[in-house]
Amino acid sequence: MTRPLARVGLPGAPSRHGVTCPYCFASAAPQRIPFRCRGQAGRTQGCAPVLDERLAAYTGSTAGASLPPVFAAAGRKGRADCPACGRPTGNRVCPECHNPLPAAYCDSPGRIVALVGAKNSGKSTYIAVLLHELMNRVGTELDASLVACDDRTIERYKRDFARPLLEERRLLPTTASATTGPREPLVYLLTRTRRGRFARARNDSLALVLFDTAGEDLRSREVTDLHLRYLEAADAIIFLVDPLELPGAQGELQRGGDPPHADPDSEPLNVIARVTEALRQRHGTRPGDPLPVPVAVALTKIDVLRPSLLRQSALHRTRTGTGVLDLDDRDAVDEQVRALLHDWQAGQLDTYLGQQYADHALFGLSALGGVPESGRVGAGGVRPHRAEDPLLWLLYRFGMLDGVRPGGT
Ligand SMILES: Nc1nc2c(ncn2[C@@H]2O[C@H](COP(=O)(O)OP(=O)(O)OP(=O)(O)O)[C@@H](O)[C@H]2O)c(=O)[nH]1
Ligand SMILES: [Mg+2]
Ligand SMILES: [Zn+2]
Ligand SMILES: [Zn+2]
């Protein structure tokens, strides 16, 4: 029996009136978003390219920054005529950094998902696998398409994530610190078709902005300004925790594994506390008040846990729901991960999250599905296990996915 759909009311759904730039996180009122002239195309007349200083300042290079000019206009329906050449254009850009703001991004509620975790916790690997899952298996299951919002996202995803990890099966290199160059987000539009009760199909869109932070940048208290803006703009946070870094987990590992690093700055709780402090400063909440942003906390690399620990457990099962969030399964996984954390003397982590955030959920996943060997993905290839769970929960929290209780309790 299926219980009436339990959908969480969104506390103040799109709370921000403006559009938040996914590149520099500046916020702009929709009617104040400038346009970029389409320039010359074939024999059509248009403005000649000029050096865009703001864009060059953002990318730190003049390469690729010679583009037709940007102009301010009160665009109607996302279009405006260039005052210099008269050609109509629909290309909008961020007023601050002049990066493109795709029409779909301006028009649908953008959800910036911040992905954070200590160095080596598995963030880059997770991004590679999660996006691949959304473009394939999970996308099909949800009746959802995932489309990159700009060409750089397509290129970067291929070059830095998909090709090395999924095609060549090489582990990804350590992400370089944001101090060495601009951190570019991956910006996608996720569109779900939902068939209503009266067979009326409706499309729900969500701009998904993922930003691959370097764990190294979260080590110090001086979290860079860009990180702060990113975190402040985040509508949800996914914290990745490497179980190998939890001292109490050592006994549960299949193989010795590396001993935990003796670097207290990289301890999961310390990273989470640092990010939380940064968020508090920005949100201006009073110390006792929980932060409103939903937080998914996922143990990564659960393939390293002993099979005996996983057998018969919620974490081991594959998710069954199709196109819905199975709330019974969600509760079971949450409980199991909580129990694991407590067994591993990492109960503090759970307690802290409960104190600081109004809504946090625990997950266990494996992006690779197996232990890598000498810098490469294990023999069976990349076989993700429950990698999509945190995102499904966030979609549910955003009101884009229904939750059901198959057990009917
Ligand atoms: N067993 C196992 N190991 C994994 C998995 N995912 C990542 N790893 C291992 O963890 C290492 C680090 O993963 P990354 O994704 O590069 O970690 P990161 O959080 O991006 O690290 P930084 O960029 O340094 O912050 C990989 O090289 C793998 O050895 C997984 O699902 N299972
Ligand atoms: Mg990385
Ligand atoms: Zn911007
Ligand atoms: Zn023009």
Side-chain angles (χ1 to χ4, degrees), residues 159-196:
R159 187 190 63 215
D160 297 345
F161 297 92
R163 192 173 305 140
L165 187 78
L166 305 171
E167 286 173 34
E168 296 164 6
R169 298 190 178 183
R170 286 185 285 119
L171 296 180
L172 300 175
T174 296
T175 306
S177 161
T179 52
T180 63
R183 252 298 68 75
E184 296 235 22
L186 295 162
V187 186
Y188 291 92
L189 194 73
L190 182 76
T191 304
R192 267 204 89 196
T193 306
R194 300 227 276 179
R195 287 171 218 292

Side-chain angles (χ1 to χ4, degrees), residues 14 16 18-23 25 100-114 131 134 145-150 153 185-192 203-211 230 233-236 391 394-395 398 400:
R16 238 170 269 117
V19 173
T20 303
C21 169
Y23 300 91
F25 309 111
L101 295 178
Y105 184 77
C106 295
D107 300 337
S108 40
R111 298 291 191 175
I112 295 178
V113 178
L131 290 173
L134 285 176
S145 63
L146 186 76
V147 180
C149 279
D150 60 78
T153 292
L186 295 162
V187 186
Y188 291 92
L189 194 73
L190 182 76
T191 304
R192 267 204 89 196
N203 288 335
D204 275 350
S205 286
L206 168 96
L208 187 66
V209 181
L210 288 172
F211 191 77
Y230 169 51
D235 299 288
L391 194 82
L394 291 176
L395 290 179
F398 294 159
M400 277 181 74

Side-chain angles (χ1 to χ4, degrees), residues 15-53:
S15 56
R16 238 170 269 117
H17 294 296
V19 173
T20 303
C21 169
Y23 300 91
C24 72
F25 309 111
S27 172
Q31 65 278 16
R32 301 215 29 223
I33 299 177
F35 289 80
R36 187 185 293 286
C37 173
R38 281 163 68 199
Q40 298 154 335
R43 270 181 292 163
T44 343
Q45 294 300 304
C47 295
V50 286
L51 176 66
D52 185 331
E53 306 214 348

Side-chain angles (χ1 to χ4, degrees), residues 10 20 65 72 108 195 207 210 217 237-238 246 316 321 358 387 398:
L10 278 180
T20 303
S108 40
R195 287 171 218 292
L210 288 172
D217 290 343
I237 299 180
I238 301 179
L246 300 173
H316 185 62
F398 294 159

Side-chain angles (χ1 to χ4, degrees), residues 184-254:
E184 296 235 22
L186 295 162
V187 186
Y188 291 92
L189 194 73
L190 182 76
T191 304
R192 267 204 89 196
T193 306
R194 300 227 276 179
R195 287 171 218 292
R197 202 166 304 183
F198 306 105
R200 231 174 350 131
R202 188 183 75 189
N203 288 335
D204 275 350
S205 286
L206 168 96
L208 187 66
V209 181
L210 288 172
F211 191 77
D212 187 16
T213 43
E216 190 190 323
D217 290 343
L218 300 170
R219 276 189 74 243
S220 75
R221 227 147 260 276
E222 301 124 54
V223 189
T224 60
D225 189 47
L226 185 63
H227 281 93
L228 284 179
R229 274 181 286 150
Y230 169 51
L231 290 169
E232 184 202 28
D235 299 288
I237 299 180
I238 301 179
F239 274 123
L240 295 186
V241 174
D242 180 353
L244 299 164
E245 293 288 335
L246 300 173
Q250 289 305 304
E252 309 289 0
L253 307 180
Q254 281 197 50

